[in-house]
Amino acid sequence: MPTPRRDPLRLAIRLVVYIVLGYFSLLFVGWALLGLGVVLGAVATVLASACLVNWVSLRIYEHLSLLDLGLLWNRASRYNLGLGVAAGIGAACLVLAPPLVLGLAHMLPTPAEQPSFGAAVFATVMLAAGAVGEELLFRGYGFQIMLAEIGPFATILPVSLLFALLHGSNPNATWY
């Protein structure tokens, strides 16, 4: 039985619509949430825009809901979250341990004023919400259709480069 033929024009149209929807939703949602302040506004903009663009794309092309993108909270999602957190901790240890052990890096004492519990919770929630928003934007509908149509290598490399380019203006970001 022959393999079904891929339609590059259909893929391109869906990707362009996804990107244009994402761009304009970031602009308009960002404008609408200006009053929330810099941190909360930015995080809420990314998360709301990511949900909106994925939901619209899923409804237009697949007749699915946002939960069909893998946002259900079940045993598999809890397992994958735990695995991801453990892998993140392990990766951080692999990056931090060698320079610390070899004396090439040093831990600096924290300032005398310790953040409050509320500030720590707020920072954790903001980081988590920002990460979820970015994951939805970069590994949501657009990424999934590319993965299905053109394969992992042709998908992961350009999406990773785009992600890196869009984060190039972050404080202390380098080309490396």
Side-chain angles (χ1 to χ4, degrees):
M1 186 153 114
T3 343
R5 216 173 144 186
R6 304 285 184 212
D7 185 358
L9 181 60
R10 183 175 194 265
L11 174 63
I13 289 169
R14 291 189 295 169
L15 285 174
V16 167
V17 168
Y18 182 79
I19 291 166
V20 169
L21 281 172
Y23 177 77
F24 283 109
S25 72
L26 284 167
L27 284 178
F28 291 120
V29 172
W31 174 79
L33 299 178
L34 274 174
L36 293 179
V38 176
V39 174
L40 184 57
V43 169
T45 296
V46 170
L47 184 57
S49 295
C51 289
L52 180 65
V53 70
N54 278 285
W55 175 73
V56 169
S57 297
L58 284 165
R59 295 297 296 159
I60 290 172
Y61 297 112
E62 313 295 334
H63 305 293
L64 298 172
S65 75
L66 192 57
L67 292 178
D68 293 315
L69 200 57
L71 299 178
L72 294 173
W73 186 248
N74 56 29
R75 185 178 178 159
S77 62
R78 288 189 297 274
Y79 173 78
N80 286 327
L81 177 63
L83 191 62
V85 168
I89 291 170
C93 290
L94 285 173
V95 169
L96 294 172
L100 289 171
V101 169
L102 296 172
L104 301 171
H106 306 284
M107 299 294 273
L108 298 173
T110 59
E113 184 181 326
Q114 294 293 321
S116 68
F117 178 76
V121 169
F122 179 78
T124 302
V125 169
M126 289 298 100
L127 288 171
V132 168
E134 284 189 357
E135 287 296 317
L136 279 174
L137 279 177
F138 285 96
R139 287 170 195 80
Y141 179 75
F143 184 85
Q144 297 303 319
I145 62 171
M146 286 177 66
L147 200 59
E149 294 285 327
I150 61 176
F153 185 77
T155 299
I156 293 170
L157 185 60
V159 172
S160 298
L161 289 174
L162 178 64
F163 185 85
L165 286 172
L166 291 174
H167 285 80
S169 63
N170 284 359
N172 300 315
T174 65
W175 279 101
Y176 174 70

